[in-house]
Amino acid sequence: MGKTATIKDKEKQDAEFRSFMEKLGTESKADEDKLLAEIRTLVDEHYESNGWDHARLFGERRSDYQNYSDWGLDRVNAIIKSIGDALAAGDYPSSKVPGSDEASKSTIEEAKKFKGIFAGDYSLIVARVQALISGALSQFSIRSEVTRKSELRDLPLSGGLHLFFASSGKVYKENRFFSNQFIGAFQIVFEAYVSADEAKYVGIQLILATTEQELAILNDLIITIRQQQATSLKEILKNDIKDYQSTKAAYDLALDDTKADRDKVIEQYNKYKTVTDTVDRLFDELDLTEFGVAAAASEALQIDHLFNPWEAALARRHIRERLAA
């Protein structure tokens, strides 16, 4: 993250604009410090209330500045995907997973112990993280009053990994520098912890339940954006008709992005839910001899006949969790 090309060009040409951006940078640093403190409080509450071991695996803090002709979350999404790729591959400690070089050797070993589970859940995890972080930041793509908005969330991933993230942003109207343009400044701070105790507790059903809550958050955000769009456009029709087209386009972009991210989560969620629902419905008819359970019938259903290889691995994981419950 950083600054869009348009903002970088303007800094080179305009001393007053450089001074404005330096002021934004100072404010952003203070906001990052505040968000990190909030995350650390949330981390302490989460693990202490459950009595779980925990250690920091990675984390980073970033600020981004965009003017609205260049608005987009491509850089944010690229960061999320690159971290997910490196985690799934076990490529840490490395610069690909920011802050992982500060993790202790025992923490790295603990995380790699559960790498296989994380890799199996990779698509769902990346879709969930991308949707919620992008959704939190999409509110800054829209013309608004100069007020700061902040958000704090945490996501249990898999294999004992837990992501804590916070975001904050503000929209500035600066006609001094860009004709009829807005500048968005936002911060994102994220920290990931690993816990062997949490790995034992967080199974497929809890991951699915958490994903359902996240989908509800995204659906609520879509409704909120629609409400704000209707209110803003009504005001513009009365007061500032020349801004109607650009404002509607900004809202439409935020809606399209949020719905696309939500749909990716739904697609991955449904893959899991189909398998777990099938296992639950046919549980008494399955051949469970590989789990030390005598077959209920001579014609018991074979797991590998019901599912493709990825689904079969998930089915076996779900069965083990059911039998251990």
Side-chain angles (χ1 to χ4, degrees):
M1 294 162 73
K3 301 169 185 174
T4 59
T6 308
I7 287 179
K8 288 179 181 177
D9 289 343
K10 191 70 175 175
E11 281 183 314
K12 294 175 184 176
Q13 302 164 8
D14 192 324
E16 185 184 3
F17 184 67
R18 283 197 298 275
S19 176
F20 170 74
M21 290 303 298
E22 286 171 4
K23 179 175 178 290
L24 285 193
T26 301
E27 291 179 2
S28 293
K29 178 67 168 61
D31 285 327
E32 288 175 13
D33 291 341
K34 181 182 177 186
L35 295 175
L36 182 59
E38 291 175 352
I39 283 178
R40 286 177 174 164
T41 298
L42 183 59
V43 167
D44 290 342
E45 291 173 351
H46 174 71
Y47 291 109
E48 288 175 9
S49 64
N50 288 294
W52 291 338
D53 66 84
H54 62 285
R56 181 183 184 273
L57 179 61
F58 69 87
E60 193 171 23
R61 45 198 285 176
R62 292 171 176 261
S63 292
D64 197 57
Y65 309 94
Q66 302 191 25
N67 75 315
Y68 281 63
S69 60
D70 297 330
W71 176 263
L73 291 172
D74 292 346
R75 288 172 295 180
V76 177
N77 291 335
I79 291 165
I80 295 166
K81 186 176 184 302
S82 67
I83 292 173
D85 286 345
L87 282 171
D91 192 6
Y92 50 89
S94 77
S95 59
K96 295 179 181 178
V97 183
S100 62
D101 54 338
E102 300 169 15
S104 68
K105 183 179 178 182
S106 61
T107 300
I108 295 294
E109 289 173 351
E110 193 70 50
K112 289 190 174 182
K113 187 190 304 180
F114 299 107
K115 187 189 74 159
I117 298 175
F118 183 94
D121 294 342
Y122 169 80
S123 295
L124 177 60
I125 288 169
V126 171
R128 291 168 61 206
V129 175
Q130 183 170 309
L132 283 178
I133 293 182
S134 297
L137 298 181
S138 68
Q139 61 191 307
F140 307 124
S141 69
I142 300 165
R143 171 179 173 169
S144 68
E145 297 302 318
V146 184
T147 55
R148 188 166 296 284
K149 302 172 185 176
S150 299
E151 206 166 317
L152 178 67
R153 295 198 187 282
D154 68 296
L155 297 168
L157 303 179
S158 70
L161 278 171
H162 199 117
L163 181 71
F164 301 83
F165 77 92
S167 63
S168 177
K170 191 173 181 179
V171 179
Y172 300 82
K173 183 172 184 178
E174 289 296 333
N175 285 336
R176 289 177 294 165
F177 308 121
F178 298 103
S179 176
N180 194 32
Q181 273 288 346
F182 297 81
I183 296 173
F186 61 82
Q187 301 73 45
I188 178 169
V189 179
F190 54 89
E191 296 277 301
Y193 281 72
V194 63
S195 166
D197 290 340
E198 187 168 15
K200 298 169 188 171
Y201 173 74
V202 178
I204 295 171
Q205 288 301 328
L206 184 57
I207 290 172
L208 290 177
T210 304
T211 305
E212 288 167 7
Q213 294 172 11
E214 292 158 8
L215 286 169
I217 291 168
L218 292 168
N219 283 327
D220 183 64
L221 177 60
I222 289 168
I223 293 170
T224 299
I225 293 173
R226 288 190 186 281
Q227 290 172 328
Q228 291 175 348
Q229 181 180 38
T231 300
S232 294
L233 293 180
K234 186 176 180 180
E235 287 299 310
I236 286 171
L237 285 172
K238 289 192 297 185
N239 305 318
D240 202 4
I241 187 65
K242 67 180 184 299
D243 285 343
Y244 181 92
Q245 216 168 19
S246 61
T247 302
K248 185 177 186 303
Y251 275 104
D252 287 345
L253 178 62
L255 278 170
D256 289 345
D257 285 350
T258 305
K259 287 190 288 186
D261 285 334
R262 178 206 57 191
D263 292 346
K264 289 177 186 174
V265 178
I266 290 174
E267 180 184 1
Q268 295 300 325
Y269 169 85
N270 285 340
K271 290 180 182 177
Y272 278 69
K273 198 73 169 64
T274 299
V275 173
T276 58
D277 283 353
T278 300
V279 169
D280 290 340
R281 188 166 65 253
L282 301 177
F283 193 78
D284 293 335
E285 301 173 52
L286 296 175
D287 181 355
L288 302 179
T289 52
E290 65 183 279
F291 304 96
V293 178
S298 58
E299 297 298 323
L301 299 172
Q302 302 298 308
I303 293 170
D304 292 326
H305 294 173
L306 289 170
F307 303 108
N308 67 34
W310 179 87
E311 292 171 333
L314 181 65
R316 287 183 168 93
R317 192 169 141 205
H318 182 46
I319 290 168
R320 283 193 292 271
E321 290 177 8
R322 275 195 56 150
L323 292 174

